[in-house]
Amino acid sequence: MADIAIIGAGYVGLTTGACFAHLGHDVTVADVVPEKIERLNRGEIPILEAGLDELVAEGLEAGNLRFVLGAANACRTAEFHYLCVPTPQGSDGSADLSYLVAAAAEIKDILPANSVVVNKSTVPVGTTTVVEDVIRREDVKVVSNPEFLREGTAVSDFLHPDRVVVGAEDQEAAIRVAGLYARVASPVMVTDPVSAELIKYASNAFLAVKLTFVNEIATLCERVGADIDDVTLGMGYDTRIGRSFLRPGPGWGGSCFPKDTAALVRIAADAGCAFDFIEQAITLNTAHFQRTADKVESAVQGGVAGKTVAAWGLTFKAGTDDLRESPAIEVLARLGAMGADIVAYDPAVHGQLASLPGVRVVEDPYSAVDQADVLVVLTEWSEFKGLNFDKVGELMRSRTIVDARNLLDRSALKRRGFTHIGMGR
Ligand code: UDX
């Protein structure tokens, strides 16, 4: 097994470190926030990721996982050095590599001979060379090993990936990194760094475009009287389309898709390619937020101005506590601007949101619907399906639900006197 240093204890670094430890490696995770390091060494996990707390506890107990302050304290004895620092979206759409470059500069002189530096964060095409230029050591190789972790299922996605991608000019370094995944029963492909970096962006952008396609088809279904559930079921039988990622919603969001689609458009533009089709998908996705808000506006007699709108769901998707680029927040911001008085509940969100100043966040779904003129479901938390809708109906001023995730049982709700307005049906 190998000595691995992880630089950055965020969603990607924490999951990568805990999973590598679970696979038997000796892992030291570094971060720059002292309180975060103290909490992590006590087994306290700052993010909601299924199974992550168990793996961290397992690694701490076994002694092959530890958290330290500062990258230097992790890299001195490690053979592999995973860069898992943020690569946020710059104002011009390009990825901001300042954290990555700073991390590489911080460790370049203390890396043991024959080390391998690995880019795990999502980075633009050509970044492997950028890191090589910072480190500038013949005895240190730089490899791309992009992450394909979905928030909420990151542990499962790491241990049971569809594929592992390794990109390196130096084949020996690539094989060494591929060897870290020896106990992962998934295909491991080795390619050049540029191809590895592009696989990540191309995959995420394809998924985002697929979702935009589904949301546009859902809108068309409403206009022509088709049922999106049957349309996507029929589509999914074609193995070239596949069943997954065909659920309509309020639009796509999160900390990756918006950033990665904008970055790919910029990467293409810098290479002289006009990726208008991805720009259009981004534009249509933003328009879909407004379309979802308009659906709520139309569902309320006289519109939402001055009315009470209950919202179930604030996070960008179920299974996570992440509010970054959340479609739910985009829709509620628009409803607030239309004059709605909004009360929101999300099982993973506690306390008021600075991003939604006019919205009252409550601690249970029934308080949210009390005296509401309409309920809008924006995040597909499964707990919403099991609630007592007789009680919901008694509490609401009007039994009207806009189900932006097609999550709830339409016929059961109709039997209870609800008007259920879905997406594409
Ligand atoms: C994504 C990629 O899936 C992952 O491979 C990559 O490593 C990081 O970015 P994530 O951002 O966690 O993962 O979210 P994902 O599960 O992909 O969902 C993205 C958005 O699409 C969410 O807003 C989600 O609600 C929406 N979505 C997803 C739909 O609207 N319908 C679907 O069928 C699936």
Side-chain angles (χ1 to χ4, degrees):
M1 288 306 169
D3 278 359
I4 301 174
I6 306 284
I7 315 304
Y11 274 98
V12 175
L14 198 43
T15 302
T16 300
C19 289
F20 268 146
H22 179 68
L23 292 173
H25 299 300
D26 189 82
V27 180
T28 305
V29 180
D31 200 278
V32 294
V33 180
E35 300 76 26
K36 184 189 267 193
I37 293 301
E38 285 153 28
R39 282 209 315 266
L40 287 167
N41 278 318
R42 291 198 301 268
E44 294 169 26
I45 310 302
I47 56 174
L48 184 62
E49 274 298 342
L52 185 57
D53 40 2
E54 287 95 338
L55 289 191
V56 169
E58 175 193 86
L60 290 171
E61 175 66 26
N64 68 326
L65 175 66
R66 65 199 66 80
F67 300 92
V68 299
L69 189 59
N73 291 324
C75 295
R76 264 192 205 92
T77 57
E79 178 186 357
F80 297 91
H81 309 264
Y82 268 78
L83 302 181
C84 301
V85 294
T87 53
Q89 180 178 342
S91 53
D92 60 357
S94 66
D96 172 0
L97 298 181
S98 57
Y99 297 97
L100 192 77
V101 168
E106 183 183 348
I107 63 177
K108 68 183 174 66
D109 296 328
I110 54 162
L111 294 170
N114 201 31
S115 285
V116 178
V117 172
V118 187
N119 279 343
K120 181 57 100 172
S121 306
T122 303
V123 293
V125 168
T127 303
T128 303
T129 308
V130 169
V131 174
E132 282 167 350
D133 291 348
V134 170
I135 292 174
R136 307 189 77 76
R137 281 181 48 178
E138 278 306 308
D139 64 338
V140 173
K141 303 299 180 196
V142 181
V143 172
S144 167
N145 176 212
E147 55 89 8
F148 297 96
L149 308 179
R150 291 166 297 172
E151 287 188 32
T153 57
V155 169
S156 169
D157 290 345
F158 190 101
L159 296 175
H160 311 287
D162 290 335
R163 77 312 206 176
V164 174
V165 173
V166 178
E169 294 307 345
D170 181 286
Q171 285 305 295
E172 192 254 344
I175 300 301
R176 285 168 64 191
V177 172
L180 298 176
Y181 295 89
R183 292 178 55 194
V184 171
S186 304
V188 179
M189 69 169 283
V190 174
T191 182
D192 62 273
V194 170
S195 299
E197 291 156 349
L198 192 52
I199 287 168
K200 169 67 184 193
Y201 279 110
S203 299
N204 264 13
F206 182 86
L207 290 169
V209 169
K210 185 177 184 183
L211 288 178
T212 291
F213 182 86
V214 165
N215 286 329
E216 293 305 302
I217 290 292
T219 301
L220 179 59
C221 284
E222 291 167 11
R223 304 282 166 82
V224 299
D227 184 322
I228 188 65
D229 286 352
D230 286 357
V231 170
T232 51
L233 177 65
M235 289 170 67
Y237 281 115
D238 185 324
T239 52
R240 294 167 303 174
I241 298 172
R243 290 188 190 290
S244 56
F245 251 69
L246 283 177
R247 295 191 320 273
W252 43 263
S255 63
C256 295
F257 279 10
K259 169 175 70 72
D260 294 352
T261 46
L264 184 56
V265 167
R266 177 62 194 272
I267 290 166
D270 290 349
C273 301
F275 269 27
D276 301 351
F277 63 101
I278 295 187
E279 288 184 296
Q280 179 64 351
I282 295 167
T283 302
L284 287 170
N285 187 55
T286 304
H288 196 60
F289 298 147
Q290 185 60 49
R291 196 150 58 191
T292 306
D294 291 344
K295 199 183 271 275
V296 180
E297 166 78 357
S298 308
V300 177
Q301 190 83 31
V304 297
K307 302 288 178 54
T308 301
V309 173
W312 285 353
L314 290 167
T315 54
F316 84 96
K317 66 172 187 176
T320 177
D321 55 2
D322 200 342
L323 294 162
R324 289 175 291 178
E325 305 282 331
S326 169
I329 289 180
E330 292 284 347
V331 173
L332 293 178
R334 287 164 172 79
L335 287 169
M338 292 151 93
D341 175 20
I342 302 166
V343 185
Y345 166 74
D346 185 298
V349 177
H350 306 287
Q352 307 315 307
L353 297 182
S355 55
L356 285 175
V359 171
R360 184 158 60 88
V361 178
V362 295
E363 286 301 314
D364 81 273
Y366 298 111
S367 306
V369 299
D370 191 16
Q371 300 311 305
D373 297 289
V374 63
L375 164 62
V376 58
V377 179
L378 290 165
T379 306
E380 71 287 13
W381 289 100
S382 54
E383 81 167 58
F384 298 156
K385 291 192 280 189
L387 295 174
N388 176 344
F389 283 92
D390 289 321
K391 179 176 178 181
V392 170
E394 282 154 21
L395 286 166
M396 290 182 74
R397 202 176 287 152
S398 161
R399 296 184 181 220
T400 304
I401 297 180
V402 174
D403 186 354
R405 295 285 185 162
N406 287 349
L407 179 74
L408 305 179
D409 181 338
R410 163 176 281 194
S411 49
L413 288 168
K414 281 192 166 168
R415 284 197 299 274
R416 285 176 171 74
F418 282 89
T419 300
H420 177 275
I421 300 159
M423 305 296 277
R425 56 190 309 234

PDB file of all heavy atoms in Angstrom, residues 324-336:
ATOM      1  N   ARG A 324     -25.079  25.673  -2.874  1.00  0.00           N
ATOM      2  CA  ARG A 324     -24.402  26.427  -3.936  1.00  0.00           C
ATOM      3  C   ARG A 324     -25.099  26.260  -5.278  1.00  0.00           C
ATOM      4  O   ARG A 324     -25.394  25.138  -5.698  1.00  0.00           O
ATOM      5  CB  ARG A 324     -22.930  25.981  -4.049  1.00  0.00           C
ATOM      6  CG  ARG A 324     -22.060  26.422  -2.884  1.00  0.00           C
ATOM      7  CD  ARG A 324     -20.657  25.843  -2.995  1.00  0.00           C
ATOM      8  NE  ARG A 324     -20.648  24.389  -2.790  1.00  0.00           N
ATOM      9  CZ  ARG A 324     -19.547  23.646  -2.879  1.00  0.00           C
ATOM     10  NH1 ARG A 324     -18.392  24.208  -3.205  1.00  0.00           N
ATOM     11  NH2 ARG A 324     -19.604  22.332  -2.667  1.00  0.00           N
ATOM     12  N   GLU A 325     -25.398  27.370  -5.935  1.00  0.00           N
ATOM     13  CA  GLU A 325     -26.057  27.349  -7.255  1.00  0.00           C
ATOM     14  C   GLU A 325     -27.307  26.468  -7.229  1.00  0.00           C
ATOM     15  O   GLU A 325     -27.563  25.706  -8.178  1.00  0.00           O
ATOM     16  CB  GLU A 325     -25.080  26.825  -8.325  1.00  0.00           C
ATOM     17  CG  GLU A 325     -23.764  27.555  -8.423  1.00  0.00           C
ATOM     18  CD  GLU A 325     -23.897  28.898  -9.175  1.00  0.00           C
ATOM     19  OE1 GLU A 325     -24.783  28.989 -10.042  1.00  0.00           O
ATOM     20  OE2 GLU A 325     -23.158  29.806  -8.858  1.00  0.00           O
ATOM     21  N   SER A 326     -28.053  26.533  -6.134  1.00  0.00           N
ATOM     22  CA  SER A 326     -29.236  25.673  -6.035  1.00  0.00           C
ATOM     23  C   SER A 326     -30.375  26.209  -6.898  1.00  0.00           C
ATOM     24  O   SER A 326     -30.783  27.372  -6.753  1.00  0.00           O
ATOM     25  CB  SER A 326     -29.709  25.592  -4.580  1.00  0.00           C
ATOM     26  OG  SER A 326     -30.978  24.972  -4.532  1.00  0.00           O
ATOM     27  N   PRO A 327     -30.959  25.375  -7.767  1.00  0.00           N
ATOM     28  CA  PRO A 327     -32.128  25.800  -8.548  1.00  0.00           C
ATOM     29  C   PRO A 327     -33.283  26.216  -7.642  1.00  0.00           C
ATOM     30  O   PRO A 327     -34.047  27.138  -7.964  1.00  0.00           O
ATOM     31  CB  PRO A 327     -32.480  24.550  -9.357  1.00  0.00           C
ATOM     32  CG  PRO A 327     -31.219  23.762  -9.438  1.00  0.00           C
ATOM     33  CD  PRO A 327     -30.510  24.025  -8.140  1.00  0.00           C
ATOM     34  N   ALA A 328     -33.382  25.574  -6.479  1.00  0.00           N
ATOM     35  CA  ALA A 328     -34.474  25.931  -5.545  1.00  0.00           C
ATOM     36  C   ALA A 328     -34.344  27.395  -5.135  1.00  0.00           C
ATOM     37  O   ALA A 328     -35.325  28.149  -5.108  1.00  0.00           O
ATOM     38  CB  ALA A 328     -34.417  25.023  -4.313  1.00  0.00           C
ATOM     39  N   ILE A 329     -33.135  27.812  -4.872  1.00  0.00           N
ATOM     40  CA  ILE A 329     -32.907  29.196  -4.458  1.00  0.00           C
ATOM     41  C   ILE A 329     -33.150  30.150  -5.629  1.00  0.00           C
ATOM     42  O   ILE A 329     -33.744  31.223  -5.468  1.00  0.00           O
ATOM     43  CB  ILE A 329     -31.490  29.334  -3.859  1.00  0.00           C
ATOM     44  CG1 ILE A 329     -31.483  28.612  -2.502  1.00  0.00           C
ATOM     45  CG2 ILE A 329     -31.080  30.795  -3.740  1.00  0.00           C
ATOM     46  CD1 ILE A 329     -30.192  28.642  -1.763  1.00  0.00           C
ATOM     47  N   GLU A 330     -32.772  29.725  -6.808  1.00  0.00           N
ATOM     48  CA  GLU A 330     -33.032  30.554  -8.010  1.00  0.00           C
ATOM     49  C   GLU A 330     -34.535  30.776  -8.185  1.00  0.00           C
ATOM     50  O   GLU A 330     -34.996  31.885  -8.452  1.00  0.00           O
ATOM     51  CB  GLU A 330     -32.473  29.846  -9.254  1.00  0.00           C
ATOM     52  CG  GLU A 330     -30.965  29.743  -9.325  1.00  0.00           C
ATOM     53  CD  GLU A 330     -30.301  31.071  -9.703  1.00  0.00           C
ATOM     54  OE1 GLU A 330     -31.021  31.999 -10.146  1.00  0.00           O
ATOM     55  OE2 GLU A 330     -29.079  31.182  -9.544  1.00  0.00           O
ATOM     56  N   VAL A 331     -35.305  29.722  -8.028  1.00  0.00           N
ATOM     57  CA  VAL A 331     -36.769  29.824  -8.223  1.00  0.00           C
ATOM     58  C   VAL A 331     -37.385  30.673  -7.118  1.00  0.00           C
ATOM     59  O   VAL A 331     -38.188  31.582  -7.385  1.00  0.00           O
ATOM     60  CB  VAL A 331     -37.412  28.419  -8.258  1.00  0.00           C
ATOM     61  CG1 VAL A 331     -38.945  28.509  -8.279  1.00  0.00           C
ATOM     62  CG2 VAL A 331     -36.914  27.639  -9.473  1.00  0.00           C
ATOM     63  N   LEU A 332     -36.972  30.433  -5.877  1.00  0.00           N
ATOM     64  CA  LEU A 332     -37.571  31.178  -4.757  1.00  0.00           C
ATOM     65  C   LEU A 332     -37.190  32.653  -4.810  1.00  0.00           C
ATOM     66  O   LEU A 332     -38.008  33.532  -4.474  1.00  0.00           O
ATOM     67  CB  LEU A 332     -37.164  30.559  -3.424  1.00  0.00           C
ATOM     68  CG  LEU A 332     -37.739  29.162  -3.168  1.00  0.00           C
ATOM     69  CD1 LEU A 332     -37.242  28.608  -1.836  1.00  0.00           C
ATOM     70  CD2 LEU A 332     -39.268  29.162  -3.211  1.00  0.00           C
ATOM     71  N   ALA A 333     -35.993  32.962  -5.272  1.00  0.00           N
ATOM     72  CA  ALA A 333     -35.590  34.378  -5.410  1.00  0.00           C
ATOM     73  C   ALA A 333     -36.521  35.072  -6.398  1.00  0.00           C
ATOM     74  O   ALA A 333     -36.966  36.211  -6.180  1.00  0.00           O
ATOM     75  CB  ALA A 333     -34.144  34.469  -5.884  1.00  0.00           C
ATOM     76  N   ARG A 334     -36.882  34.370  -7.459  1.00  0.00           N
ATOM     77  CA  ARG A 334     -37.788  34.942  -8.473  1.00  0.00           C
ATOM     78  C   ARG A 334     -39.200  35.100  -7.912  1.00  0.00           C
ATOM     79  O   ARG A 334     -39.864  36.108  -8.126  1.00  0.00           O
ATOM     80  CB  ARG A 334     -37.768  34.092  -9.739  1.00  0.00           C
ATOM     81  CG  ARG A 334     -36.492  34.239 -10.544  1.00  0.00           C
ATOM     82  CD  ARG A 334     -36.313  33.139 -11.573  1.00  0.00           C
ATOM     83  NE  ARG A 334     -35.170  33.396 -12.461  1.00  0.00           N
ATOM     84  CZ  ARG A 334     -33.900  33.166 -12.127  1.00  0.00           C
ATOM     85  NH1 ARG A 334     -33.633  32.688 -10.899  1.00  0.00           N
ATOM     86  NH2 ARG A 334     -32.915  33.421 -12.962  1.00  0.00           N
ATOM     87  N   LEU A 335     -39.648  34.133  -7.131  1.00  0.00           N
ATOM     88  CA  LEU A 335     -40.989  34.236  -6.525  1.00  0.00           C
ATOM     89  C   LEU A 335     -41.017  35.365  -5.497  1.00  0.00           C
ATOM     90  O   LEU A 335     -42.003  36.106  -5.391  1.00  0.00           O
ATOM     91  CB  LEU A 335     -41.384  32.902  -5.883  1.00  0.00           C
ATOM     92  CG  LEU A 335     -41.750  31.804  -6.869  1.00  0.00           C
ATOM     93  CD1 LEU A 335     -41.871  30.452  -6.164  1.00  0.00           C
ATOM     94  CD2 LEU A 335     -43.058  32.143  -7.597  1.00  0.00           C
ATOM     95  N   GLY A 336     -39.925  35.550  -4.786  1.00  0.00           N
ATOM     96  CA  GLY A 336     -39.848  36.654  -3.825  1.00  0.00           C
ATOM     97  C   GLY A 336     -39.932  37.984  -4.541  1.00  0.00           C
ATOM     98  O   GLY A 336     -40.654  38.892  -4.113  1.00  0.00           O
TER      99      GLY A 336
END
